Amino acid sequence: QVQLVESGGGSVQAGGSLRLSCAVSGYTYMGNYMAWFRQAPDKEREGVAAINSVGSTRYADSVKGRFTISRDSAKNTLYLQMDNLKPEDTAMYYCAAGWRPDGLLLSLDRLDFGNWGQGTQVTVSS
């Protein structure tokens, strides 16, 4: 059974940084594609960063140049480094995983993902 457990959220002032982590278990890591999503109150869940099995990445326009997605295969952990945070980044952040034989999908569409973590809250004050 796949388990995704996020950590690293918190409260920061605008301009600050946070690093989110997502520990993955019960999954063959190679062949996975993964992503970070976020959901603010009264808004739909949106994809912010994606990474595939060969390390290619994709970002939402709103976070390009500020967020960096990465993974450590040895630790089965996905990361999201968030720099120059803005109040509009305030949301619950979720990691998500999907699987295909080649794992090359780079998706920010929540419908492509079947496994989700419980979320970690990020609050950015002005």
Side-chain angles (χ1 to χ4, degrees):
Q1 183 176 354
V2 176
Q3 285 191 321
L4 307 175
V5 180
E6 302 97 332
S7 61
S11 297
V12 296
Q13 290 190 328
S17 298
L18 284 173
R19 189 176 81 154
L20 306 183
S21 299
C22 174
V24 183
S25 62
Y27 220 27
T28 300
Y29 206 76
M30 292 303 295
N32 283 354
Y33 55 94
M34 301 191 71
W36 287 96
F37 288 76
R38 66 185 182 188
Q39 188 168 17
D42 300 323
K43 291 190 176 181
E44 290 192 357
R45 191 169 298 190
E46 62 172 351
V48 296
I51 190 166
N52 66 10
S53 61
V54 296
S56 298
T57 58
R58 176 184 176 186
Y59 297 93
D61 289 342
S62 59
V63 306
K64 277 181 184 176
R66 301 189 298 121
F67 289 12
T68 304
I69 188 171
S70 63
R71 67 182 191 189
D72 185 331
S73 297
K75 295 182 179 180
N76 275 0
T77 302
L78 180 72
Y79 300 101
L80 185 68
Q81 177 66 42
M82 305 186 293
D83 298 317
N84 191 21
L85 283 161
K86 303 176 181 180
E88 51 263 44
D89 295 318
T90 295
M92 186 73 79
Y93 282 72
Y94 301 88
C95 70
W99 189 90
R100 289 187 181 180
D102 60 10
L104 295 178
L105 184 66
L106 271 175
S107 175
L108 295 178
D109 184 345
R110 60 187 176 87
L111 297 179
D112 286 324
F113 295 86
N115 298 283
W116 295 84
Q118 82 290 347
T120 186
Q121 178 68 37
V122 172
T123 303
V124 185
S125 58
S126 57

